[in-house]
Amino acid sequence: MSPEVRFDFEREARIGFTEAVFCKGKTSDQIALVLSQAQDTGKRLLLTRLDRDALDALDPVWRDAIDYEAASQTGIYGTWSPPSGPARVAIVTAGTSDLPVAREAARTQAFYGAPSREIADVGVAGLWRVLAHQEELRGFPVVIVVAGMDGALVSVLGGLVGGVLIAVPVSTGYGAARGGRTALDSALTSCAPGVVAVNIDNGYGGACAALRTLRAIDGAAQGAHGAVTEDEPSGVS
Amino acid sequence: MSPEVRFDFEREARIGFTEAVFCKGKTSDQIALVLSQAQDTGKRLLLTRLDRDALDALDPVWRDAIDYEAASQTGIYGTWSPPSGPARVAIVTAGTSDLPVAREAARTQAFYGAPSREIADVGVAGLWRVLAHQEELRGFPVVIVVAGMDGALVSVLGGLVGGVLIAVPVSTGYGAARGGRTALDSALTSCAPGVVAVNIDNGYGGACAALRTLRAIDGAAQGAHGAVTEDEPSGVS
Amino acid sequence: MSPEVRFDFEREARIGFTEAVFCKGKTSDQIALVLSQAQDTGKRLLLTRLDRDALDALDPVWRDAIDYEAASQTGIYGTWSPPSGPARVAIVTAGTSDLPVAREAARTQAFYGAPSREIADVGVAGLWRVLAHQEELRGFPVVIVVAGMDGALVSVLGGLVGGVLIAVPVSTGYGAARGGRTALDSALTSCAPGVVAVNIDNGYGGACAALRTLRAIDGAAQGAHGAVTEDEPSGVS
Amino acid sequence: MSPEVRFDFEREARIGFTEAVFCKGKTSDQIALVLSQAQDTGKRLLLTRLDRDALDALDPVWRDAIDYEAASQTGIYGTWSPPSGPARVAIVTAGTSDLPVAREAARTQAFYGAPSREIADVGVAGLWRVLAHQEELRGFPVVIVVAGMDGALVSVLGGLVGGVLIAVPVSTGYGAARGGRTALDSALTSCAPGVVAVNIDNGYGGACAALRTLRAIDGAAQGAHGAVTEDEPSGVS
Amino acid sequence: MSPEVRFDFEREARIGFTEAVFCKGKTSDQIALVLSQAQDTGKRLLLTRLDRDALDALDPVWRDAIDYEAASQTGIYGTWSPPSGPARVAIVTAGTSDLPVAREAARTQAFYGAPSREIADVGVAGLWRVLAHQEELRGFPVVIVVAGMDGALVSVLGGLVGGVLIAVPVSTGYGAARGGRTALDSALTSCAPGVVAVNIDNGYGGACAALRTLRAIDGAAQGAHGAVTEDEPSGVS
Amino acid sequence: MSPEVRFDFEREARIGFTEAVFCKGKTSDQIALVLSQAQDTGKRLLLTRLDRDALDALDPVWRDAIDYEAASQTGIYGTWSPPSGPARVAIVTAGTSDLPVAREAARTQAFYGAPSREIADVGVAGLWRVLAHQEELRGFPVVIVVAGMDGALVSVLGGLVGGVLIAVPVSTGYGAARGGRTALDSALTSCAPGVVAVNIDNGYGGACAALRTLRAIDGAAQGAHGAVTEDEPSGVS
Amino acid sequence: MSPEVRFDFEREARIGFTEAVFCKGKTSDQIALVLSQAQDTGKRLLLTRLDRDALDALDPVWRDAIDYEAASQTGIYGTWSPPSGPARVAIVTAGTSDLPVAREAARTQAFYGAPSREIADVGVAGLWRVLAHQEELRGFPVVIVVAGMDGALVSVLGGLVGGVLIAVPVSTGYGAARGGRTALDSALTSCAPGVVAVNIDNGYGGACAALRTLRAIDGAAQGAHGAVTEDEPSGVS
Amino acid sequence: MSPEVRFDFEREARIGFTEAVFCKGKTSDQIALVLSQAQDTGKRLLLTRLDRDALDALDPVWRDAIDYEAASQTGIYGTWSPPSGPARVAIVTAGTSDLPVAREAARTQAFYGAPSREIADVGVAGLWRVLAHQEELRGFPVVIVVAGMDGALVSVLGGLVGGVLIAVPVSTGYGAARGGRTALDSALTSCAPGVVAVNIDNGYGGACAALRTLRAIDGAAQGAHGAVTEDEPSGVS
């Protein structure tokens, strides 16, 4: 194995996620090196933050082997087809600027075989838009909210749905938006109970969090979880 | 109803959480007012950040009706008994200073009938401590990690377990710890995929996030989730 | 006049506001000095951030001449009675912790003879609470929103009402609330158009902004405003 | 309707503002999509942050249908002509760098039929410049102050005029100007009572705040505002 | 000499200032140690941030030997009498809260034999107050401006007077005042040319900067300055 | 006069500085407009932050009338020749990256007829370099220190020279240099008494502060300063 | 073992440090619990941030068994005597306020048997003080510099000595000192090569870094270090 | 010598490091000037942050005389050959993005004749990767850890190895990574004792810190260090 890139293919066995390749800042050679490792080991790969220029800079052999989606700047290498069937994860966006991040989340879900339902452009300045979807949204075990600026959609949804609610703040905006930090801080201080957040613009991370939940659900259905050692009682309950 | 305190007892119907009473900064009269509303409507109540002085300042009638736990500064009003049975949520702490926040999480879990398993003082500076628990931790659908300072335990666990991983940063420390912001930012930038975070010191919020997951699991088992409208295909999958 | 305190009694003539006395950090002697200047000139005075200890430290002659309201920590000196008649300003709060700031706004309004309507504890985590008031709120030319934490109520109201909307962020909360800065930044980045903000916890300032609007309304009714010099055309229209 | 762009044409009915199109970061296709929706529904549209390159990238059919103003980077689509008559809003700038933001405000005003009066380059380092306009400025019910750097013009004007005073901080400057945050914080901590602020560089927002005030004035003249429910007395007056 | 406190009595010879004793955080023993060193060497001493409690904690022998001024929390040890004669430095404050810092500056001036002229409470919200003093202020070679909050007085004065202008920001205020950082940043970004600033609340430092100027003036009058080596021409002139 | 650019030619009469033209962000037309106003009134002009591209974009008529200096990105318009005679201001830099800012200061000095002495590249990591100049530096009434990164040179010089010491922080560096904020904060917290600072990279401002001092010196020599009203005694001396 | 406190006694075997007990925020019971674990296992313990009140709150049995040093707020439990012999570590402070942190470092050194040499109060505003020690300082393999405010002493020493130089920033100061962050950032951006820093006020950490170096020295002397696997060549040399 | 660039060739004699040339922001002429000074004095030079464009802009005579390494953007001028023999410093990276910084450290080591051992891509999300190297790492007297994002690898290593541990934070990442500040703050708050940090992306500085340690080791072996004056006992031991 190359000492320079030590791709963590064993990660899948441990936690169910292969390592994704964050392409921004990587050279074409480094990306190609990881792809060839994937080829050698017969693994699929998800490439994120792969902009058009970086894609075009790859050797055509690699480029043609990648299923590329422009809005999300993601590529999928290896045998893969889009998942079908009912979605268990809804991805909700506040405005048009949030779409690229939402799409990164949707593609990550799809890479792992989990379809998602996109509900776009329902920011709270036009409250009727999100209220029109509230019944539908209550049907999802997981809702990902992608929102920049004030991030108010997160708190509104947090009070409307009882499922897992994952906020993905977006770096949209200027001035007091502070590159997404205001949306992030808003999500973290939401008065709606149990809202969680991932890093700014991290659609990939939001999807992985959703996938952990789906796995918890499936594990429970299969009886895999819930075992607990008996010897040490918990602290306060 | 008083125009001053408009307690949201209907919240439970919508999202499954009653409103908790954040007592810091509230007067004894305001706390008593909420308690009497709970009494009138026959509801249970969880009181958080209720320090010993605030408890002692309450009328003895109220004070004696509260199940108080000092480390977590939480009180439970109304008919309630600690849950029993196997825990589905593990609460892991890095150091002794993280315990009060961890206990707030455990009490919140307990208030909602969900037992939890506490694994304390396993920070990564002594890596053997957390490695000794890794097999056990893989058995939980949800792990809450409570950690201040560098928050490195979050990333280490994120690479060891595949279940839902909720980071609760803690305001422990001085200087570059920035009141917990470093631990929070560490969790948000964890290279382990799908880690989520709640606000600093927010044990209550971490527990609510866990409860949302448990509910998603239980809902799935009961077939309640998963329905999705068919008419609008998702964006990219 | 004392060289140390140069109270700006002429301000009222110029902009319609007497100077208010911000008491925090002032000595009893300095407060008494201003009061005696008011007595000498026959002026009324509004005292803000006058906590109970500062009030008690005043000479009884002054203390008894002050109409004190504890929740808002405000005092009114001089001949004054609460205004009556219909309110043109609504003061809306998200939670119980926002009340002291809201009351400071209400008292400032009252000091200047303008009644206000308080609508308390209608944060968006329980969205039904604010929606129940939306028709009423549309009837006010000015709405002051007092909200800490995520400040999401500001954006929701900004999309519901067309009148002047003044956000007063509140320093409630911990961690990512950053002493009210998150609520402030949320208000400033609200996607609802035309929302304005004043400083954190500045109920007095929010009320003064409302009073400026009321004066603009009254001036317009009296034909006082609207005159404009003709010689220089505006830039782009 | 497209699921990707859900333009809020109903907003006008609710709060009197159509949604403006913030063009920065939007693709030509997304802008064209909104324009075609406007065409289909017969609506006018305001486009902000539309720089020359983005304009040129539009299909000529759309480009030619837009009234473009370069300094403000705004475009107006649909039947529209500049408003005439006396201005009720003054837009004051401290220096030359503030002009683009001031022009965005003026164009927004004009889009909604409200003429404005521009008073440029009257920063306080040359105090005589603003003092020469003080009488004129007292005649306006609303004054928008556009200022970067130290933002001192805001406080000076706040002490000179009694009308509504809206500060629009500007990101001009370097170092301690912190991208406009210093001007914003200066406005928020102005000792002049009742000054309000919008986000940095947000000329559009400043104008919308002014329009809300004009509407309050007009509504008052028409007897539309002032009604209040009688059943719940306000808190402290 | 004690190894623990190495008081820099030689500083006076080098740069004309004895070291002042910043008392906050020092123990009574440490303060006494410095005083005894001063006694032994026959030096005068200026003590700053010496609050009443710290003064009272000193041995009466030392306490009685100190000329204490309460508002500025300064003490002077050693033979000293207030300077007389015309002042060459004006100390201007914006509001009452700025007085303690202004007094620290005045006392530092006085300690070094330089009288100063205090002009208090002339903040720009009442612009007439400072304008009434503009002619007088133009007569001073040095003006120290002590101002918190928005610090707008600094810029206004910077445009009115041509002498040396030293801003001393004050930590007054809350929220966006950021403990004086906004006033500091305002001074640093003042559009008035050549304004300089010292640290927040640093009245002592502002006075020392003024004293350096006075010394430059006196040195010039005595022909002490202006000499320059001839061998290396300056870069661009 | 154009309503768009209101150049403050009267400033010179009041405070002795003509307004300088900060060219960054100004269009060629705006710069030309100011130049033609200067031409019409027979004034000289200093142009700062005029990079090579902006210079080349000017009409050749204007470009050829400007004395341009590339390192400092400054231009001088109008009759002017470099000053001669002994320098009274030393400009000291810590490293090579500080030179452009130092040169802006030198050119500003030269524009106003004041020669300066440049001492370059004497940062404290090689302490011998600055110590070799300490005697010479004590001969200047004013020393400008231009330094980025840790800004330690400011404190070292502050302890070596007794004249006026003006720190100009520089935005050199990365990471913890925070764009010059660390150098600025270092200067503001220097333990050397009486150090003052101007904004980051503000060579122009540093020079103006020096010029204010020179004027104070010259005024004192001419008996112009020092007058003071007698009626109000200063606060504490 | 208690599940609540899991003291890491095995740490010593791995990295040569026992876990120190950071007492701030710990209850008396928690401290006593650790002490009893130490007693049971026959270990020595270092307690840091143990203020006088916390010490007094301990059971006298424990209190009397602790060697307490007040300035550093440290306690040592177990058999221990101060080390003797020549010091290999110098601890240098800039001012009196830095002493408590310096003493924490010295005590930590002493706990591990390493004497240290304290050189106090040699800040650069009086440069002669540190220059007088430069030859002596060059004789130490490790120098710890404890400095708050501008932290300029770090850079000056970095250019004078060639040994390991560890900066311990101190939270002394106000305003722009930002609780020690300015001193920290100064150290990190020092132009002197190879300076390293630990957290603000972290005297314990600075000493541990020094101890790691001493161990590296001793290990080298014993031939313990320097072994390297041969199979993978390093990247660029 | 040129007054503009005063290269510190004497530094080597004092502290063992020649001054490195930080090329970013320097002109080709300035770089050439330093190179010619090196040529004249027969010195070797290390050039850092010399990107390909800057290299190509040099005169071919200079360019060809430089040993350039692209990944690290470093150049070495003068007679030099890569060091051989066993490495005493390990350079560990968390991910691929950390390589350029790690290589700068390795090249700096090599310039000074010290080989280093690179262990790449062993971030804690795949904990097995670093654990596989723990025994090897314990054999090094110095370990440099290069890590961005959460910087958790620093704490994990800090608990595994007892040698000197130098953290070099990396500016990789987005959002909450805050340009490397989170990794820096994580290292500074590491619960592993005695971890030290240098500035973000400062591979050169990390290497210099390692070299100071090696020199301390070698000095100790030669008996050069350890001498200490006897007259002043240290403070607490």
Side-chain angles (χ1 to χ4, degrees), chain G residues 86-125:
Chain G
R88 293 189 293 175
V89 176
I91 301 177
V92 185
T93 63
T96 311
S97 324
D98 305 323
L99 270 178
V101 176
R103 293 282 162 84
E104 186 184 275
R107 282 276 285 185
T108 302
Q109 296 273 125
F111 175 78
Y112 284 105
S116 53
R117 164 81 168 93
E118 179 180 302
I119 298 176
D121 219 357
V122 295
V124 302

Side-chain angles (χ1 to χ4, degrees), chain G residues 165-189:
Chain G
L165 194 68
I166 300 161
V168 185
V170 174
S171 60
T172 316
Y174 53 91
R178 295 179 304 135
R181 195 87 207 188
T182 293
L184 170 60
D185 287 339
S186 273
L188 292 167
T189 57

Side-chain angles (χ1 to χ4, degrees), chain G residues 185-213:
Chain G
D185 287 339
S186 273
L188 292 167
T189 57
S190 171
C191 10
V195 172
V196 295
V198 298
N199 196 11
I200 298 161
D201 291 337
N202 193 3
Y204 166 74
C208 287
L211 290 162
R212 284 179 181 260
T213 310

Side-chain angles (χ1 to χ4, degrees), chain C residues 7 76 190:
Chain C
F7 204 75
I76 295 177
S190 171

Side-chain angles (χ1 to χ4, degrees), chain E:
Chain E
M1 185 186 296
S2 154
E4 186 171 321
V5 179
R6 203 175 298 234
F7 205 74
D8 188 8
F9 289 108
E10 304 182 24
R11 186 177 293 180
E12 193 162 17
R14 277 177 296 110
I15 60 168
F17 295 100
T18 56
E19 192 177 353
V21 187
F22 184 82
C23 298
K24 195 172 177 186
K26 287 204 175 58
T27 62
S28 296
D29 286 353
Q30 290 174 324
I31 296 174
L33 183 56
V34 177
L35 287 168
S36 68
Q37 292 180 12
Q39 190 181 44
D40 294 348
T41 54
K43 302 278 184 184
R44 283 187 303 134
L45 265 192
L46 174 65
L47 301 102
T48 63
R49 308 286 167 101
L50 178 69
D51 63 26
R52 179 67 72 181
D53 289 347
L55 180 73
D56 291 347
L58 289 175
D59 185 292
V61 174
W62 293 122
R63 191 168 63 231
D64 296 349
I66 290 175
D67 176 288
Y68 188 69
E69 202 274 331
S72 60
Q73 298 194 339
T74 55
I76 295 177
Y77 170 83
T79 309
W80 172 84
S81 60
S84 58
R88 293 189 293 175
V89 175
I91 301 176
V92 184
T93 63
T96 310
S97 324
D98 306 322
L99 271 177
V101 177
R103 293 281 161 84
E104 185 184 273
R107 282 277 284 185
T108 302
Q109 296 273 126
F111 174 78
Y112 283 106
S116 54
R117 164 80 167 95
E118 180 181 301
I119 298 175
D121 218 357
V122 295
V124 302
L127 197 61
W128 65 271
R129 296 182 295 190
V130 66
L131 291 179
H133 288 280
Q134 63 174 313
E135 281 314 312
E136 179 190 359
L137 284 167
R138 285 205 187 100
F140 289 93
V142 185
V143 176
I144 296 174
V145 198
V146 183
M149 310 289 286
D150 56 9
L153 182 57
V154 173
S155 286
V156 166
L157 275 173
L160 292 179
V161 307
V164 171
L165 194 68
I166 299 161
V168 185
V170 174
S171 59
T172 318
Y174 52 90
R178 295 179 304 134
R181 194 87 209 190
T182 293
L184 171 60
D185 287 339
S186 273
L188 291 168
T189 57
S190 172
C191 10
V195 172
V196 295
V198 297
N199 196 11
I200 298 161
D201 290 336
N202 193 3
Y204 166 74
C208 287
L211 290 162
R212 284 179 180 260
T213 310
L214 296 184
R215 215 171 293 150
I217 292 171
D218 296 342
Q222 299 158 17
H225 289 304
V228 66
T229 56
E230 298 292 314
D231 48 7
E232 293 185 48
S234 72
V236 295
S237 60

Side-chain angles (χ1 to χ4, degrees), chain G residues 2-228:
Chain G
S2 155
E4 187 170 320
V5 179
R6 203 176 297 236
F7 204 75
D8 189 8
F9 288 109
E10 305 184 23
R11 186 177 294 179
E12 193 163 15
R14 276 176 298 111
I15 61 168
F17 295 101
T18 54
E19 196 176 351
V21 187
F22 183 82
C23 298
K24 196 173 177 186
K26 288 206 174 55
T27 62
S28 296
D29 286 354
Q30 289 173 325
I31 296 173
L33 183 55
V34 177
L35 287 167
S36 67
Q37 292 181 11
Q39 190 180 45
D40 294 350
T41 53
K43 301 279 183 183
R44 283 187 304 134
L45 265 193
L46 174 65
L47 302 102
T48 63
R49 308 287 166 98
L50 177 70
D51 64 27
R52 178 67 71 180
D53 289 347
L55 180 73
D56 291 345
L58 288 175
D59 186 292
V61 173
W62 293 123
R63 192 168 63 230
D64 296 348
I66 290 175
D67 176 287
Y68 188 68
E69 202 275 330
S72 59
Q73 298 193 340
T74 54
I76 295 177
Y77 171 85
T79 309
W80 171 84
S81 60
S84 58
R88 293 189 293 175
V89 176
I91 301 177
V92 185
T93 63
T96 311
S97 324
D98 305 323
L99 270 178
V101 176
R103 293 282 162 84
E104 186 184 275
R107 282 276 285 185
T108 302
Q109 296 273 125
F111 175 78
Y112 284 105
S116 53
R117 164 81 168 93
E118 179 180 302
I119 298 176
D121 219 357
V122 295
V124 302
L127 197 61
W128 64 270
R129 296 182 295 192
V130 65
L131 291 180
H133 289 280
Q134 62 176 313
E135 282 314 314
E136 179 189 358
L137 284 167
R138 283 204 188 101
F140 289 94
V142 185
V143 176
I144 296 174
V145 197
V146 183
M149 310 290 284
D150 55 10
L153 183 57
V154 173
S155 286
V156 166
L157 275 173
L160 292 178
V161 306
V164 170
L165 194 68
I166 300 161
V168 185
V170 174
S171 60
T172 316
Y174 53 91
R178 295 179 304 135
R181 195 87 207 188
T182 293
L184 170 60
D185 287 339
S186 273
L188 292 167
T189 57
S190 171
C191 10
V195 172
V196 295
V198 298
N199 196 11
I200 298 161
D201 291 337
N202 193 3
Y204 166 74
C208 287
L211 290 162
R212 284 179 181 260
T213 310
L214 297 185
R215 214 170 295 150
I217 291 171
D218 296 341
Q222 299 157 18
H225 287 304
V228 65

Side-chain angles (χ1 to χ4, degrees), chain C residues 17-40:
Chain C
F17 295 100
T18 55
E19 195 176 349
V21 186
F22 184 82
C23 297
K24 195 173 178 185
K26 287 206 176 54
T27 62
S28 296
D29 285 354
Q30 290 174 325
I31 296 173
L33 183 56
V34 177
L35 287 168
S36 68
Q37 291 181 14
Q39 188 180 47
D40 293 349

Side-chain angles (χ1 to χ4, degrees), chain C residues 31-212:
Chain C
I31 296 173
L33 183 56
V34 177
L35 287 168
S36 68
Q37 291 181 14
Q39 188 180 47
D40 293 349
T41 53
K43 302 278 184 183
R44 284 187 302 134
L45 266 190
L46 175 65
L47 302 102
T48 63
R49 306 286 165 100
L50 177 69
D51 63 28
R52 180 65 72 181
D53 288 348
L55 180 73
D56 292 346
L58 289 176
D59 186 290
V61 173
W62 293 123
R63 193 169 61 230
D64 296 348
I66 290 174
D67 176 287
Y68 188 69
E69 201 274 329
S72 60
Q73 298 194 339
T74 55
I76 295 177
Y77 170 84
T79 310
W80 171 84
S81 60
S84 58
R88 292 189 293 174
V89 176
I91 301 176
V92 184
T93 62
T96 310
S97 323
D98 305 321
L99 270 178
V101 177
R103 293 282 161 84
E104 185 184 273
R107 282 278 283 185
T108 303
Q109 296 274 126
F111 174 78
Y112 283 106
S116 54
R117 164 79 167 95
E118 180 181 302
I119 298 175
D121 218 356
V122 294
V124 302
L127 197 61
W128 64 271
R129 296 182 295 190
V130 65
L131 291 179
H133 288 280
Q134 64 174 314
E135 280 314 312
E136 179 190 359
L137 283 167
R138 284 204 188 102
F140 289 93
V142 184
V143 175
I144 296 173
V145 197
V146 182
M149 310 290 285
D150 56 8
L153 183 57
V154 173
S155 286
V156 166
L157 275 173
L160 292 179
V161 307
V164 171
L165 194 69
I166 299 162
V168 185
V170 174
S171 60
T172 317
Y174 53 90
R178 295 179 305 134
R181 194 87 210 189
T182 293
L184 171 58
D185 287 339
S186 272
L188 291 168
T189 56
S190 171
C191 10
V195 172
V196 294
V198 297
N199 195 10
I200 298 160
D201 290 338
N202 193 3
Y204 167 74
C208 287
L211 290 162
R212 283 178 181 260

